Amino acid sequence: MRTCPAVFLLAILAEASLAISFQTGVTSNSRRLGNRASTTLNATRCPLGPGAVSSQAVNGSGSIWPYQLFRSSTFNPPQLQVTRNAGQLAPGFLFLDPTDFTAVNATQDQAPLIMTDAGQLVWNGPYLDATNLRVASYEGKAILTFWSGLSTAGANIGHGYGNITFLDSSYTEILTVCPKLGLVTPTNTTYECEADLHESYLTDRNTLLITAYNATPADLRSIGGPEKGWVFDCLFLEINPRDGSVLFRWSALEHVPVSESKQPLRSTGTNQSEPFDYFHINSVANVGTNYLVNSRHAWSTYLVSSTGDIVWTIKGDTGGDFGPLPPHGQFSWQHHARARTITSNSIAISWFNNNNAFGVDNGTKFTTGLELLLPLPPSNTSSTTVRALRYLSDPSNPIYAASQGSFSILPNGNIFMGYGEIAVLKEYGPNSSSGAGDVRWTARFGADNLVQSYRGFKAEWHATPKTKPSLAVESAAGGCGKGYVSWNGATDVEAWAIYEGEQPGSLREVGRVGFKGFETSFGVASAFVQVGAVVGGEVVRRSEAVSWVE
């Protein structure tokens, strides 16, 4: 049969174009490729397969919580112990910051994490002490924010000095906000960045609310202390993230007397090195032009005006300006106060109601998720009483969280709670309102009082990392290879395109395997291999080419 030379030439060129590799480098992985003849392996004997989940659960030594082991990533996230009950879960990923709660090493690796509710890793951030990893909106775009820095110990325990990082959907750093506030510290130590770990809240006006602790002289005679005593004056500041300029500053000591504190004075407050932590600010968020400020140690939440005045106070024991609280409506040592539904005559506020504190009330009442409906303007008359909308707990698993924690209402109405120093996350159904909540999902990521996550969130997030996928290849049975691919932070990969060949410059696509989680494994039949991440049917990013055959 005769073949038209022009057609034959076009066919050759077309085949050559398919063999062009777009990789930018070649990596020798597992074994070095030496001088050799062609070593094409039998693709039938070494099939790609459909792709498989690849992670190994490893029992940690000593107090280390079990963790996951991968071939294509060196990071070892915790192995989640998941309990799934009936009922629909909200879509989205988990956002948490597991760290050691004590001096005991209880986590294999520490970093801000995104995971699926099935326990698969999605993204690990840098190896550091972080809090408050969450999805936020900044200048009209979804971003990630988290605090990182030094968490304090000793007389200054439970505070921090650090910065807030903004990441875009490629995990590129947009901003690092490093407040320089001129704080007085117990030891006169100076820190490069002075944002406290408790709050880093982006407002709807693209400003950032942060907390800070300032050692300050104060008269403590009203609570049995010295006239020339010392306290932590809790501050919150609204700042411009772009230049760090302070737009608003509020001092607890200027507005709330130390006698409001429920925290025992004990031996603190006598000198600068051991200030009395009478207020302990742990959350602040804007409510229009006002601010909702939470004090753990005063069992109180305040609405603060734009001029700094306290508009009203809701107290966890007496109700404050709102009068007596309903059954199950009292709270103490609480965290994460947030305004929910707001109308002209009412406001709903939620808390992570710890009900516990170390050395005071620990183990006396279990922790709840609480939401109260408060009448506006405040009144303590019987016709305008406070209503308890939710007081959530898991009767089958009562938790006594003495520190930290979060309460979030998800877009589908479900409630998500992180239990702080107890390494547990729970998702409740939307109609949960009494103590016996509709617990739909529970995950544990560490041992009690050894592993903590200051807060825990669930949210939808879409990201395409600026980095390349990571590929590792090992020898497998029958002279075949086995590949392992991951792409740290990628959320929308649907498949992996596999490219193989005998030379790095002549790789061609041999098939595709399904995306099976953080790390996907597949069979390899050729000396060189490369993978491409498929999103929306198109390859959007390729790994390096890897050689593995001797």
Side-chain angles (χ1 to χ4, degrees):
M1 180 179 70
R2 293 182 62 191
T3 302
C4 174
V7 173
F8 181 69
L9 179 60
L10 287 173
I12 293 174
L13 290 174
E15 181 175 341
S17 68
L18 288 173
I20 294 174
S21 170
F22 294 94
Q23 46 82 16
T24 58
V26 178
T27 301
S28 177
N29 183 277
S30 299
R31 298 187 181 182
R32 194 168 131 217
L33 188 66
N35 294 326
R36 49 160 172 70
S38 176
T39 58
T40 301
L41 302 178
N42 190 317
T44 303
R45 182 166 56 85
C46 304
L48 282 176
V53 176
S54 175
S55 68
Q56 178 183 350
V58 177
N59 289 322
S61 59
S63 298
I64 299 291
W65 182 257
Y67 58 90
Q68 300 177 53
L69 185 67
F70 304 106
R71 268 86 164 182
S72 61
S73 171
T74 60
F75 188 81
N76 303 123
Q79 183 75 23
L80 296 193
Q81 291 181 352
V82 176
T83 302
R84 178 72 168 92
N85 300 320
Q88 185 176 6
L89 299 181
F93 298 119
L94 312 177
F95 296 79
L96 63 160
D97 328 281
T99 57
D100 294 335
F101 182 58
T102 69
V104 175
N105 186 14
T107 54
Q108 181 67 15
D109 287 329
Q110 294 187 172
L113 300 180
I114 304 175
M115 302 185 76
T116 70
D117 54 26
Q120 280 279 344
L121 180 65
V122 175
W123 176 75
N124 67 267
Y127 292 70
L128 44 73
D129 185 2
T131 67
N132 258 332
L133 174 66
R134 62 187 292 264
V135 178
S137 177
Y138 182 62
E139 296 181 343
K141 296 180 180 179
I143 67 166
L144 296 180
T145 65
F146 63 87
W147 175 94
S148 62
L150 173 70
S151 297
T152 57
N156 195 15
I157 192 169
H159 311 145
Y161 303 93
N163 59 57
I164 297 95
T165 300
F166 291 18
L167 301 178
D168 67 14
S169 59
S170 71
Y171 302 96
T172 299
E173 187 175 302
I174 306 169
L175 292 171
T176 297
V177 184
C178 177
K180 302 179 186 299
L181 307 174
L183 300 177
V184 177
T185 62
T187 59
N188 284 322
T189 303
T190 58
Y191 298 91
E192 180 180 1
C193 305
E194 296 180 308
D196 172 51
L197 61 85
H198 286 96
E199 192 63 275
S200 47
Y201 181 85
L202 266 172
T203 72
D204 51 7
R205 48 185 178 256
N206 294 316
T207 59
L208 182 67
L209 294 173
I210 64 169
T211 51
Y213 283 69
N214 192 40
T216 307
D219 186 344
L220 301 181
R221 286 177 295 175
S222 63
I223 55 172
E227 179 180 3
K228 296 182 179 180
W230 283 79
V231 299
F232 277 117
D233 183 13
C234 287
L235 312 175
F236 82 80
L237 304 101
E238 184 170 8
I239 62 177
N240 181 338
R242 289 290 180 186
D243 60 15
S245 58
V246 176
L247 307 175
F248 183 81
R249 175 189 178 278
W250 188 83
S251 156
L253 192 58
E254 293 173 3
H255 297 90
V256 181
V258 294
S259 58
E260 292 289 304
S261 185
K262 307 294 185 181
Q263 175 77 354
L265 180 62
R266 299 192 179 99
S267 61
T268 64
T270 59
N271 53 60
Q272 179 183 339
S273 62
E274 292 186 302
F276 175 44
D277 188 6
Y278 91 98
F279 191 85
H280 198 90
I281 190 171
N282 59 27
S283 73
V284 57
N286 72 300
V287 181
T289 59
N290 298 324
Y291 306 90
L292 195 69
V293 182
N294 191 64
S295 166
R296 168 177 165 87
H297 288 174
W299 299 1
S300 297
T301 300
Y302 307 86
L303 187 71
V304 174
S305 74
S306 58
T307 60
D309 297 321
I310 294 176
V311 179
W312 49 252
T313 304
I314 175 74
K315 292 179 175 291
D317 52 353
T318 67
D321 294 329
F322 295 88
L325 297 175
H328 309 292
Q330 293 189 325
F331 57 89
S332 59
W333 313 111
Q334 74 288 348
H335 283 77
H336 202 212
R338 289 290 188 260
R340 301 299 175 182
T341 307
I342 304 172
T343 69
S344 60
N345 56 17
S346 68
I347 181 171
I349 299 178
S350 66
W351 294 266
F352 181 82
N353 179 22
N354 294 78
N355 268 337
N356 291 265
F358 294 112
V360 185
D361 292 324
N362 201 29
T364 56
K365 294 183 290 186
F366 53 79
T367 297
T368 66
L370 180 64
E371 185 180 8
L372 299 180
L373 184 65
L374 312 180
L376 295 177
S379 173
N380 55 17
T381 65
S382 58
S383 62
T384 54
T385 56
V386 175
R387 289 174 50 206
L389 300 179
R390 308 176 200 266
Y391 49 100
L392 301 182
S393 65
D394 183 352
S396 66
N397 180 29
I399 293 177
Y400 301 84
S403 72
Q404 310 168 70
S406 56
F407 176 105
S408 303
I409 300 177
L410 304 177
N412 74 338
N414 283 7
I415 296 92
F416 193 82
M417 292 176 61
Y419 285 81
E421 47 123 350
I422 305 298
V424 169
L425 305 167
K426 288 183 183 288
E427 184 170 342
Y428 294 83
N431 296 320
S432 300
S433 59
S434 65
D438 172 20
V439 182
R440 298 187 172 184
W441 174 92
T442 300
R444 175 176 286 278
F445 55 90
D448 285 354
N449 302 306
L450 288 180
V451 179
Q452 65 186 345
S453 180
Y454 171 59
R455 289 174 177 164
F457 297 102
K458 189 175 189 181
E460 295 190 73
W461 171 247
H462 297 277
T464 301
K466 65 178 180 180
T467 58
K468 295 179 180 180
S470 177
L471 173 64
V473 186
E474 298 177 348
S475 297
C480 302
K482 192 169 186 179
Y484 304 87
V485 60
S486 61
W487 195 11
N488 186 33
T491 61
D492 299 310
V493 176
E494 58 206 37
W496 295 104
I498 311 300
Y499 303 85
E500 294 189 17
E502 290 309 301
Q503 298 295 331
S506 60
L507 304 182
R508 67 178 60 192
E509 184 175 336
V510 296
R512 296 187 176 188
V513 300
F515 176 82
K516 301 297 182 180
F518 180 75
E519 185 174 75
T520 298
S521 64
F522 57 92
V524 176
S526 300
F528 285 87
V529 62
Q530 184 182 44
V531 295
V534 179
V535 177
E538 302 292 332
V539 174
V540 298
R541 196 72 51 82
R542 294 194 187 195
S543 71
E544 298 286 352
V546 171
S547 63
W548 65 279
V549 178
E550 290 184 345

